[in-house]
Amino acid sequence: MPYIHTCEFLVRHYECDMYGHVNHANYLRYMQESAFSASAAVGFSAQRYESLNLQWLAYETDIEYLSPARYGDTITVKTWVADFRRVRSLRMYELYVGEKRIANGSTDWVLLDTKAMYPTTITQEIIDAYAHGEVVTEAPRRESLPPPPKMPDGAFKIRRRVEWDDIDAAGHVNNAVYLNYISDCGMQSGRAVGWSMAQVREMGYGQFARRHQIEYKSAAVLDDELEICMWISDVRRASKMNYYTIRRVSDNKLIANVRTLAVWIDLATEALVSIPKTYLEAVAPMIVGGARE
């Protein structure tokens, strides 16, 4: 078995959303912090990487939400390294409240030479430290996220400027912030067609993400103006796939692609419900491929 590192996080009130659930971006923050802690536990702290002119950058992140966490819960994160491939390494996560698993996650990391600002080969010393005595072989090549369907003319778009609070110690937008960006875009898209989150909630419904898949393509920095675009595909009875792109306005540079599986639920029973026909009619210009049962 690989070395499994465990971290615990007490959910604070400001980490929760209007439903009383832990905001989805905070799951990514728990995962990131657990990865840093796990790395330090095997002798490779952030300070040591800095002294070696090395840094891990997230390339792809996948989070599947199984059950919500709430204020006062203690979230336990179990994390381990699944493989090493020349310049990349896959880290896995399981998140629990008590014995109940509430989320699964993975992050595909790339090792960067911070002087050359280019990916560099993972050394045997790093592999041995993370392997913790286990034999590690290179895993089969995994496919990247499939390209999204073509953006329709009716895709919803917003712009926002990167603020100081969005920036992390590496000098660029923290990965978890991108989930806040797309969440805001999704809420604004509903409000623009007469389906604000407040109205949906008053009707007894809720829209929840069941899975986020994020592909990081480039860094955004302070004062960058970003355009976030959203469109919809694979609409079924109670679920749909939301696609997002984040681009820098000045040069049209792609910053990130995001796929979000979203479901509609009855807030009283937490059971899946059919997406209202009137909602689908309202967002029809954003939908690619129509709705399916």
Side-chain angles (χ1 to χ4, degrees):
M1 289 289 293
Y3 165 63
I4 298 176
H5 186 76
T6 301
C7 288
E8 290 188 348
F9 302 90
L10 179 64
V11 175
R12 292 160 290 190
H13 193 267
Y14 63 79
E15 295 176 319
C16 298
D17 60 21
M18 65 182 292
Y19 295 111
H21 301 164
V22 172
N23 181 279
H24 284 164
N26 288 321
Y27 287 81
L28 184 49
R29 291 186 173 97
Y30 299 149
M31 290 162 54
Q32 290 174 341
E33 188 63 27
S34 297
F36 298 151
S37 176
S39 181
V42 298
F44 279 87
S45 65
Q47 293 80 4
R48 184 175 181 188
Y49 275 118
E50 184 177 0
S51 71
L52 296 171
N53 299 309
L54 297 173
Q55 181 182 27
W56 288 102
L57 292 181
Y59 179 68
E60 289 181 1
T61 294
D62 192 340
I63 309 175
E64 179 187 18
Y65 304 98
L66 305 176
S67 183
R70 295 174 171 84
Y71 172 56
D73 284 342
T74 295
I75 295 178
T76 300
V77 182
K78 297 181 180 180
T79 182
W80 65 95
V81 172
D83 69 28
F84 294 99
R85 290 148 293 140
R86 203 171 69 80
V87 302
R88 292 167 66 172
S89 178
L90 182 69
R91 179 173 285 280
M92 309 298 294
Y93 311 85
E94 293 177 352
L95 288 78
Y96 294 83
V97 172
E99 298 298 318
K100 184 176 184 179
R101 191 187 306 183
I102 61 168
N104 297 315
S106 66
T107 301
D108 204 10
W109 297 89
V110 174
L111 187 63
L112 187 73
D113 181 322
T114 56
K115 285 189 173 180
M117 294 304 295
Y118 199 78
T120 187
T121 301
I122 301 170
T123 66
Q124 191 62 46
E125 182 184 18
I126 293 174
I127 293 173
D128 290 343
Y130 281 82
H132 219 253
E134 298 291 324
V135 176
V136 178
T137 58
E138 183 173 305
R141 181 184 178 90
R142 292 187 304 279
E143 297 298 323
S144 297
L145 291 179
K150 184 179 179 181
M151 184 189 304
D153 293 338
F156 183 78
K157 301 177 182 180
I158 64 171
R159 289 189 177 184
R160 67 180 302 155
R161 191 169 296 279
V162 175
E163 299 179 353
W164 177 255
D165 289 347
D166 300 335
I167 302 298
D168 62 17
H172 49 68
V173 174
N174 183 270
N175 293 338
V177 172
Y178 292 119
L179 289 187
N180 290 333
Y181 287 172
I182 67 160
S183 178
D184 184 52
C185 181
M187 287 188 285
Q188 289 196 44
S189 73
R191 184 167 59 246
V193 296
W195 282 79
S196 70
M197 290 295 291
Q199 289 169 303
V200 171
R201 190 181 184 189
E202 288 175 1
M203 297 171 67
Y205 297 136
Q207 291 191 63
F208 292 92
R210 283 289 183 257
R211 187 179 186 185
H212 287 304
Q213 295 171 283
I214 313 164
E215 183 180 33
Y216 308 101
K217 305 297 289 186
S218 186
V221 299
L222 184 65
D223 286 332
D224 275 350
E225 185 180 16
L226 304 178
E227 182 174 76
I228 300 101
C229 300
M230 173 196 166
W231 65 104
I232 301 168
S233 184
D234 300 295
V235 179
R236 293 179 168 78
R237 183 185 70 83
S239 68
K240 58 190 175 75
M241 190 71 76
N242 295 340
Y243 293 90
Y244 302 87
T245 59
I246 303 174
R247 291 182 178 273
R248 185 164 47 235
V249 172
S250 62
D251 57 4
N252 202 38
K253 183 79 170 180
L254 180 62
I255 303 299
N257 288 315
V258 185
R259 296 160 52 101
T260 298
L261 176 62
V263 298
W264 281 65
I265 70 164
D266 182 309
L267 291 177
T269 65
E270 298 189 351
L272 294 176
V273 296
S274 297
I275 302 175
K277 182 179 179 180
T278 48
Y279 169 82
L280 294 176
E281 290 171 348
V283 299
M286 306 178 205
I287 298 176
V288 175
R292 290 180 284 177
E293 291 296 328

